[in-house]
Amino acid sequence: MRIRSYFGLWLGRATKFALRISGRSGTSLPGLVAGKLAPHLLQDLMTQLTDCVMVTGTNGKTTTTAILYAFLSEDTKWLTNRGGANLHQGLLATMLGASTLSGKLLVKKAVLEVDEATLPKITAFFHPTAILVTNVLRDQLDRYGEVDQTLRLLSEGTSYPGTALVTNGDDPLAMSLGIHRSELTYYYGFTHSPEVTTTRADVRDGAFCLLCGQELVYDYFIYGQVGSYHCPNGHFQRPVPDFGGQYDGITGQLLVEEFKSRPNPVFAIQSPVRGIFNQYNLLAAISVARVLGISPSKIQKGIVNYEAPTGRFQVFQGTPSRILALVKNPTGANSVLRAIEEDENDKVVCFIINDDDADGRDVSWLWDINIEEFFPRSVCKSWICAGTRSLDMALRLAYAGVDRNSIKVVEKLSQLVDATSVNVHTVYLLSTYTALYPLNEILREGVKNG
Amino acid sequence: MARTLRFVHLFPELLNLYADQGNLSVLMSRAKLRGIDAEIVPIKLGMKIDFDQADFVLLGGGSDREQAIVGKELLAYRQDFLNAIDGGLPLLAVCGGYQLLGEYYELPTGEKVPGLHLLEMTTRAGGQRLIGNIAIEWIKSDQGPKKTLVGFENHGGRTIHDYPPLGTVVKGYGNNGVDRKEGVQYKGIVGTYIHGPLLPKNPHLADYLIKNALRYRGFTDELDELDDQLEWRAHQRVLDRMQVTQSH
Ligand SMILES: [Zn+2]
């Protein structure tokens, strides 16, 4: 290790200690101060890893990482950045937590959620065992510019041929990352979709051939641009997946079939998550586990350890019970709404929309959420909007046809518990990133007192 | 006679980067509430464009790749487009669509990507993207209870022209971050970098566009008042957060 890295390491550890004795639990701060002092510290620690999986993509990183961690940590110790601290400083903070003062990493295996723009910066000095790409969708335009740019970053990050790439074969953009690779490229996809929809007008940024610009032809859509597609000029098409999934919405079982292995194993997993987008996350995690050589029986055992991370359909029991779901882009929000649609009881839906940097300052994406489709199927008694952009959301609902009298705007997040203490089965709270952790606290307190 | 309006959306499959259909949904809804029989006519790539059939045209924004495809497609219709605009066709062009109205877009390499050249206007790629909330004073400030237009801008290009702007910048960047002008207003054209989308929080501009379309089609342009409390609260919230004070 470089001398400078030692100083960084000690400073980072000291910061972590100081935070702990002052009762704060900053996830990234130790990494931030250590990284400032010692730019190569992350590299010095990471290169000690013997096994490392990085999970990236637009949506589902946190859930997929948590599921994968449940499988992997069944009988071995693995590091993970729980809580979604997925930038350089967050990764460093995770590594610091498992290193000695002399810079030795005590746990040599890590499953890490990594931001799309951070990935190529890390792979410039460290090659993980495997990289998983969940999907490539429109996200926070003012941060990255455009989806093309994200694709360039991911392509750069997954270019090393010695790293296994596991990617979503049903998403043409995520799939395209595999085109120019030969070895160690694996696709997963759903061979049978629980709800095949061709009529939904979801956002389809990827619905064009990247080679010739032609609109892709779809046999069916599953969500967003994800489905069974091909270029009419024959440039590319949905690949036969290495790991094919079939989800049974009634039993909640995910059947996995390995098409390219001989003999091809078939096994079933009891899914702990809701909504089709989460079944993708589950299938993605299973695919990586299989690529790493984890047996189906160990996966079946490990899934029991899965705990929903904050805001990933996190349930707060009570009367009514409240469910907190993160929304950060239209495709994710549409997926959450579709999962809510499955609930046929009377409900309240709340949108908590902030526009800080971490949320995306541009809220035009609210107009890409398919409220028009959701509203008639929602069985929803009332709608509540909160956050700095509550009024933008209220307008969005009004222009989608929701009765203006059933839309309530509350000024403070703390008012949400009272405002939702009504006689319904479930209250759904859809929140952008910066409101998520405050809401987590408020809901936990509210349920205790209520 | 029953009033009918056709809102043409050019290439919705390509140009919908900043939720442009939000703008259309506002126009549709506000037209229908006035008993106007309105419909959205999406024109996809490869379909023939008949400007005589349009009472209003929306040209939205797309990624560079999509913008280039659209530019090429529309170039074949340039003369028709020019004629329609001379005749007063109402057109709302946002972001990339706005840039496309000009003569060219100059890349950092000096290469000039040709536009439709419907207006004597040019755009040059700048350094930093100009991103953030924006408030402008609309030049047609007699059109509603507020003089301002609010929204969000996010553009790398710097646009320059000598036409009247859509408004003068109160807070934000506008066309180029220098001359305090935002957008363009010429005949039936409204061009702007403001998305967010533009119309939900600016109902006075939405109604102005509807009136233009009605007049263009030869109907009376009278519109009943709507309950816009929510719209004006949202509009005012943006002004408050940007600390813009105004009298009206
Ligand atoms: Zn093609």
Side-chain angles (χ1 to χ4, degrees):
Chain A
M1 225 164 74
R2 283 158 264 245
I3 294 288
R4 224 182 150 79
S5 291
Y6 283 109
F7 289 123
L9 175 75
W10 297 333
L11 181 63
R13 291 288 296 255
T15 310
K16 204 173 163 106
F17 180 70
L19 281 172
R20 198 163 55 221
I21 57 170
S22 65
R24 308 207 329 257
S25 59
T27 46
S28 292
L29 190 62
L32 188 67
V33 297
K36 276 246 164 71
L37 185 66
H40 295 286
L41 178 57
L42 183 61
Q43 178 178 359
D44 290 336
L45 293 173
M46 267 197 164
T47 44
Q48 297 176 50
L49 290 169
T50 57
D51 298 87
C52 177
V53 180
M54 292 186 173
V55 179
T56 191
T58 312
N59 284 353
K61 290 188 284 279
T62 305
T63 300
T64 308
T65 304
I67 297 172
L68 196 51
Y69 179 75
F71 301 153
L72 297 172
S73 61
E74 234 296 283
D75 52 12
T76 323
K77 216 166 160 42
W78 282 70
L79 284 173
T80 191
N81 51 344
R82 217 178 154 82
N86 60 15
L87 305 176
H88 185 280
Q89 63 262 32
L91 299 172
L92 184 50
T94 304
M95 295 290 136
L96 284 175
S99 57
T100 65
L101 287 178
S102 59
K104 199 166 156 260
L105 206 55
L106 295 171
V107 182
K108 306 276 192 202
K109 298 167 188 287
V111 51
L112 302 166
E113 167 185 342
V114 181
D115 172 78
E116 301 95 294
T118 302
L119 183 75
K121 294 180 197 155
I122 305 289
T123 56
F125 60 74
F126 172 73
H127 299 309
T129 323
I131 294 174
L132 168 64
V133 180
T134 56
N135 45 52
V136 183
L137 309 165
R138 180 194 294 183
D139 185 17
Q140 301 177 349
L141 284 153
D142 49 345
R143 212 171 105 218
Y144 291 131
E146 286 157 13
V147 74
D148 295 14
Q149 169 67 2
T150 309
L151 209 55
R152 272 194 292 277
L153 293 167
L154 287 174
S155 176
E156 193 187 328
T158 57
S159 60
Y160 178 65
T163 293
L165 170 66
V166 181
T167 189
N168 188 341
D170 292 351
D171 170 5
L173 291 180
M175 185 283 260
S176 73
L177 297 169
I179 291 180
H180 301 297
R181 292 173 52 108
S182 45
E183 304 282 301
L184 297 176
T185 303
Y186 305 89
Y187 299 104
Y188 60 90
F190 274 80
T191 51
H192 173 261
S193 152
E195 190 200 354
V196 169
T197 49
T198 47
T199 53
R200 290 200 180 242
D202 290 352
V203 194
R204 281 172 196 141
D205 282 310
F208 295 91
C209 176
L210 292 168
L211 302 170
C212 69
Q214 268 289 325
E215 193 167 1
L216 294 173
V217 178
Y218 276 79
D219 296 328
Y220 57 82
F221 288 103
I222 294 179
Y223 73 86
Q225 79 226 14
V226 176
S228 181
Y229 54 85
H230 64 268
C231 162
N233 298 332
H235 291 115
F236 78 166
Q237 60 188 32
R238 172 186 182 269
V240 174
D242 297 85
F243 303 95
Q246 288 187 41
Y247 179 66
D248 182 336
I250 295 160
T251 62
Q253 284 215 324
L254 176 68
L255 196 71
V256 183
E257 195 169 353
E258 299 185 10
F259 286 110
K260 294 187 186 158
S261 322
R262 295 277 172 268
N264 63 358
V266 179
F267 54 94
I269 300 285
Q270 190 60 42
S271 172
V273 287
R274 291 173 63 172
I276 182 65
F277 62 108
N278 272 326
Q279 309 314 328
Y280 266 94
N281 296 335
L282 177 59
L283 180 62
I286 292 170
S287 306
V288 176
R290 291 294 293 139
V291 167
L292 296 178
I294 312 255
S295 71
S297 67
K298 212 171 127 187
I299 291 173
Q300 280 154 345
K301 248 186 264 158
I303 195 72
V304 181
N305 304 326
Y306 169 74
E307 277 174 53
T310 304
R312 273 70 182 185
F313 266 82
Q314 185 190 5
V315 180
F316 298 83
Q317 297 295 351
T319 1
S321 65
R322 298 180 174 87
I323 295 181
L324 180 58
L326 171 69
V327 292
K328 49 176 186 169
N329 51 36
T331 312
N334 286 336
S335 307
V336 167
L337 292 181
R338 277 177 66 180
I340 294 174
E341 251 173 50
E342 293 168 16
D343 175 355
E344 289 171 9
N345 293 302
D346 197 0
K347 60 181 80 69
V348 174
V349 176
C350 310
F351 289 91
I352 302 93
I353 309 295
N354 279 350
D355 66 347
D356 287 344
D357 284 342
D359 302 298
R361 289 169 56 210
D362 182 1
V363 290
S364 58
W365 65 275
L366 297 180
W367 290 82
D368 280 332
I369 305 178
N370 207 338
I371 306 289
E372 284 83 355
E373 292 264 4
F374 173 70
F375 165 53
R377 314 177 195 199
S378 59
V379 202
C380 183
K381 190 180 221 128
S382 68
W383 309 72
I384 300 177
C385 301
T388 52
R389 288 296 194 158
S390 54
L391 289 163
D392 286 82
M393 191 62 218
L395 273 179
R396 174 70 192 97
L397 294 173
Y399 276 104
V402 177
D403 178 7
R404 289 180 183 225
N405 295 320
S406 69
I407 305 169
K408 197 154 131 188
V409 177
V410 305
E411 294 303 319
K412 291 195 177 106
L413 296 190
S414 56
Q415 296 167 323
L416 277 169
V417 172
D418 274 348
T420 57
S421 293
V422 287
N423 187 22
V424 291
H425 205 256
T426 311
V427 176
Y428 292 90
L429 299 107
L430 282 58
S431 167
T432 59
Y433 188 76
T434 59
L436 196 64
Y437 293 92
L439 273 173
N440 185 31
E441 297 296 316
I442 289 165
L443 292 174
R444 238 187 347 216
E445 282 302 308
V447 168
K448 231 190 299 169
N449 303 335
Chain B
M1 195 172 83
R3 297 186 291 182
T4 59
L5 285 180
R6 280 154 304 182
F7 300 115
V8 167
H9 191 186
L10 287 180
F11 317 121
E13 78 279 27
L14 290 162
L15 301 183
N16 193 24
L17 185 55
Y18 299 105
D20 295 308
Q21 92 266 13
N23 288 326
L24 278 177
S25 135
V26 169
L27 290 176
M28 277 294 282
S29 163
R30 299 183 71 85
K32 286 196 164 160
L33 284 168
R34 272 70 171 252
I36 298 166
D37 185 8
E39 65 170 323
I40 294 175
V41 183
I43 301 280
K44 288 190 156 197
L45 210 62
M47 283 168 69
K48 191 179 153 35
I49 309 173
D50 182 0
F51 286 102
D52 291 341
Q53 296 297 312
D55 305 326
F56 170 89
V57 171
L58 174 72
L59 187 59
S63 71
D64 292 350
R65 173 167 49 94
E66 293 159 343
Q67 209 72 51
I69 298 171
V70 168
K72 227 193 278 168
E73 178 87 3
L74 280 179
L75 216 48
Y77 291 98
R78 180 168 179 266
Q79 197 52 53
D80 291 359
F81 218 152
L82 265 179
N83 295 343
I85 282 162
D86 272 339
L89 172 70
L91 166 74
L92 175 63
V94 183
C95 291
Y98 170 42
Q99 295 170 346
L100 206 56
L101 302 180
E103 190 183 344
Y104 58 80
Y105 184 104
E106 189 180 329
L107 301 170
T109 54
E111 190 198 333
K112 289 176 180 170
V113 182
L116 296 172
H117 203 172
L118 303 175
L119 296 175
E120 297 305 322
M121 177 176 99
T122 60
T123 302
R124 189 167 297 189
Q128 284 260 319
R129 286 187 80 82
L130 307 178
I131 304 176
N133 290 310
I134 176 168
I136 67 172
E137 187 164 316
W138 189 14
I139 57 165
K140 306 262 178 187
S141 56
D142 55 335
Q143 297 290 325
K146 285 196 194 280
K147 296 175 175 173
T148 40
L149 297 172
V150 297
F152 196 89
E153 60 181 326
N154 178 355
H155 52 107
R158 270 62 166 175
T159 298
I160 291 176
H161 62 72
D162 290 326
Y163 302 93
L166 177 62
T168 46
V169 175
V170 181
K171 280 258 169 90
Y173 300 102
N175 283 340
N176 45 51
V178 180
D179 65 14
R180 313 298 297 162
K181 290 181 186 174
E182 204 301 311
V184 68
Q185 196 153 353
Y186 170 74
K187 296 201 171 182
I189 296 178
V190 170
T192 180
Y193 276 120
I194 305 179
H195 65 260
L198 173 67
L199 299 181
K201 286 196 292 283
N202 298 299
H204 47 346
L205 179 59
D207 284 353
Y208 171 82
L209 293 172
I210 294 173
K211 285 180 188 173
N212 275 358
L214 287 170
R215 275 201 306 272
Y216 177 67
R217 201 31 78 188
F219 295 119
T220 154
D221 68 354
E222 266 170 55
L223 292 180
D224 296 337
E225 292 285 319
L226 297 178
D227 172 9
D228 285 333
Q229 288 179 67
L230 200 53
E231 281 80 353
W232 293 125
R233 274 174 75 193
H235 184 111
Q236 188 59 44
R237 171 83 66 92
V238 177
L239 293 177
D240 291 346
R241 291 182 73 212
M242 295 183 83
Q243 295 172 318
V244 172
T245 47
Q246 55 149 2
S247 54
H248 55 83

